[in-house]
């Protein structure tokens, strides 16, 4: 029997209708389109504005898009992994609710949180379940409603983040396609540089934490940028070396969409040509767990069977890594 590898066999996506452009942000905080574009590459981002709708709403939409396109019976899904930093609520896993709502009644489900690296770590998890031989269909969803934790008077963060969701299906492959290798890292030094102070077990919600705006994302931008540039570039270069890949062997770079300058620095270290670097940050901003699957959805028609894809991400914590995957269809 040939070795089982875990291949992506379908993708789906969802972004909200409401567009928050740089021009609109100019009326909200002291900034301008040129400043934002030059430093981040972002032109607009999508926000989920409807009252009472959270991350699960977008996750369900992305999963339904995948199910509709692939014609899969959701009852055949064995597992749903929900990669998210903004669950619907602190207790009661969002992935469990999503699985039930999409009709994946025979699946077990759980949430995975590693900030902007959540989907990348989720790919590792999904592949391991498939490679074990115990599971045949694993649905991995990356979704975040970042607008729910952003202070729209803080120009350091409100210009960066947006809302969205993407989903992929992993299935067994016997042709050697799918996930080939991974190089995942983490370092607790990042805890102070990108965080939300309140709402957890150290500092539970209170009148004071709300008044002090401690439930919003805090980011030390310069420090995070420095670590992200070196971290993403290092692991991407490492995964190429480990698999004897030259820049010509890499068909596509699928990098976390946090900042265009970080993406460019990673591509430069790898030596990958600009036309192989997939970018949609100008349309969505940083959607955290959703950036990688949104790239796959937006550029799905470009991929050919056997293409070499290098994934890279960096997130709060710090968490980061790179994955080498061969496209299967």
């Amino acid at each position: 029997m040939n070795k089982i590898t875990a291949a992506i066999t379908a993708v789906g996506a969802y972004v909200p209708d409401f567009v928050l452009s740089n021009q609109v942000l100019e009326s909200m905080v002291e900034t301008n389109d040129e400043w934002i574009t030059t430093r981040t590459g972002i032109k607009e981002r999508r926000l989920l504005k409807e009252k009472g709708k959270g991350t699960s709403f977008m996750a369900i939409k992305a999963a339904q898009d995948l199910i509709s396109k692939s014609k899969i019976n959701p009852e055949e899904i064995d597992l749903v992994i929900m990669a998210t930093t903004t669950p619907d609520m602190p207790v009661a896993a969002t992935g469990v609710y999503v699985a039930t709502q999409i009709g994946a009644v025979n699946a077990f489900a759980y949430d995975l949180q590693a900030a902007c690296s959540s989907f990348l770590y989720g790919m590792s998890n999904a592949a391991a379940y498939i490679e074990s031989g115990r599971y045949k269909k694993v649905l991995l969803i990356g979704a975040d409603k970042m607008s729910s934790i952003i202070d729209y008077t803080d120009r350091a963060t409100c210009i960066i983040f947006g809302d969205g969701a993407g989903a992929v299906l992993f299935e067994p492959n016997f042709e050697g396609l799918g996930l080939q290798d991974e190089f995942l890292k983490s370092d607790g030094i990042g805890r102070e540089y990108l965080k939300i102070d309140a709402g957890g077990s150290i500092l539970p919600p209170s009148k004071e934490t709300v008044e002090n705006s401690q439930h919003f994302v805090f980011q030390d931008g310069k420090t995070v940028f420095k670590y992200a540039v070196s971290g993403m570039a290092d692991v991407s270069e490492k995964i190429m070396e480990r698999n004897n890949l030259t820049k010509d062997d890499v068909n596509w770079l699928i990098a976390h969409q946090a900042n265009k300058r970080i993406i460019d620095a990673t591509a430069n270290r790898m030596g990958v040509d600009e036309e192989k670097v997939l970018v949609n940050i100008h349309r969505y901003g940083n959607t955290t767990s959703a950036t990688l699957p949104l790239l796959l959805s937006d550029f799905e028609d470009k991929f050919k069977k056997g293409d070499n894809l290098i994934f890279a991400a960096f997130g709060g914590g710090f968490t980061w890594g790179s994955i080498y995957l061969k496209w299967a269809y």
Side-chain angles (χ1 to χ4, degrees):
M1 179 176 168
N2 293 338
K3 180 190 172 189
I4 300 173
T5 52
I8 292 174
T9 58
V11 301
Y14 173 81
V15 290
D17 294 329
F18 181 85
V19 176
L20 178 61
S21 67
N22 289 350
Q23 286 72 25
V24 174
L25 277 171
E26 288 177 4
S27 67
M28 297 167 59
V29 291
E30 189 181 338
T31 190
N32 60 71
D33 174 62
E34 183 188 12
W35 193 93
I36 297 170
T37 305
T38 303
R39 284 160 179 78
T40 68
I42 301 168
K43 284 290 189 183
E44 57 188 38
R45 58 294 289 142
R46 303 296 186 95
L47 303 187
L48 181 62
K49 302 282 280 186
E50 288 89 344
K51 193 174 181 181
K53 290 181 179 177
T55 295
S56 64
F57 173 80
M58 296 185 292
I60 290 165
K61 289 284 191 182
Q64 289 172 336
D65 181 48
L66 181 150
I67 290 166
S68 172
K69 281 158 54 179
S70 65
K71 304 292 191 289
I72 182 181
N73 179 353
E75 294 182 5
E76 295 177 1
I77 297 171
D78 300 308
L79 164 63
V80 175
I81 302 173
M82 181 76 215
T84 186
T85 299
T86 54
D88 284 359
M89 51 188 74
V91 177
T94 302
V96 174
Y97 175 72
V98 170
T100 298
Q101 293 301 111
I102 64 173
V105 293
N106 296 311
F108 71 102
Y110 62 84
D111 292 359
L112 188 157
Q113 204 280 72
C116 292
S117 301
S118 297
F119 188 86
L120 190 81
Y121 283 19
M123 290 176 68
S124 173
N125 280 25
Y129 281 111
I130 294 293
E131 289 164 5
S132 75
R134 295 182 183 178
Y135 306 97
K136 306 292 188 217
K137 289 177 170 55
V138 177
L139 180 65
L140 171 62
I141 306 170
D144 270 306
K145 186 183 177 182
M146 293 304 293
S147 62
S148 66
I149 55 172
I150 295 300
D151 178 0
Y152 284 92
T153 66
D154 174 17
R155 69 173 183 173
T157 55
C158 74
I159 66 169
I160 298 169
F161 294 98
D163 303 338
V168 301
L169 183 69
F170 276 93
E171 294 187 87
N173 184 276
F174 300 96
E175 302 175 88
L177 303 171
L179 198 145
Q180 305 294 306
D181 195 13
E182 63 182 47
F183 191 60
L184 307 180
K185 302 280 286 179
S186 63
D187 188 342
I189 194 173
R191 183 171 163 118
E192 293 305 306
Y193 302 118
L194 180 50
K195 62 179 178 176
I196 295 177
D197 277 323
S201 58
I202 293 176
L203 191 61
S206 67
K207 184 170 178 282
E208 289 72 25
T209 63
V210 173
E211 289 174 348
N212 293 334
S213 299
Q214 289 175 282
H215 295 270
F216 295 123
V217 169
F218 162 80
Q219 177 170 276
D220 179 342
K222 287 183 179 178
T223 304
V224 173
F225 180 85
K226 181 181 73 175
Y227 276 99
V229 167
S230 61
M232 268 176 61
D234 285 348
V235 292
S236 301
E237 188 178 43
K238 181 83 170 180
I239 205 110
M240 286 176 68
E241 289 174 359
R242 213 157 71 173
N243 292 277
N244 298 314
L245 296 171
T246 68
K247 65 183 182 67
D248 297 323
D249 296 323
V250 176
N251 296 104
W252 306 104
L253 171 61
I254 317 292
H256 172 54
Q257 306 287 293
N259 185 299
K260 181 63 164 56
R261 292 186 293 167
I262 299 173
I263 300 166
D264 290 343
T266 302
N268 288 338
R269 179 81 74 84
M270 297 167 66
V272 174
D273 295 336
E274 188 178 358
E275 60 267 21
K276 295 180 176 181
V277 182
L278 301 185
V279 176
N280 59 11
I281 189 172
H282 55 290
R283 298 176 62 199
Y284 308 130
N286 181 354
T287 54
T288 307
S289 306
T291 64
L292 299 181
L294 280 175
L295 280 173
L296 294 180
S297 176
D298 279 1
F299 296 98
E300 182 184 13
D301 60 348
K302 287 184 175 289
F303 306 145
K304 295 190 287 292
K305 187 174 180 178
D307 276 1
N308 292 319
L309 277 59
I310 302 293
F311 292 79
F314 187 93
F318 290 127
T319 60
W320 72 101
S322 183
I323 282 177
Y324 166 35
L325 178 138
K326 279 186 172 292
W327 198 248
Y329 63 95

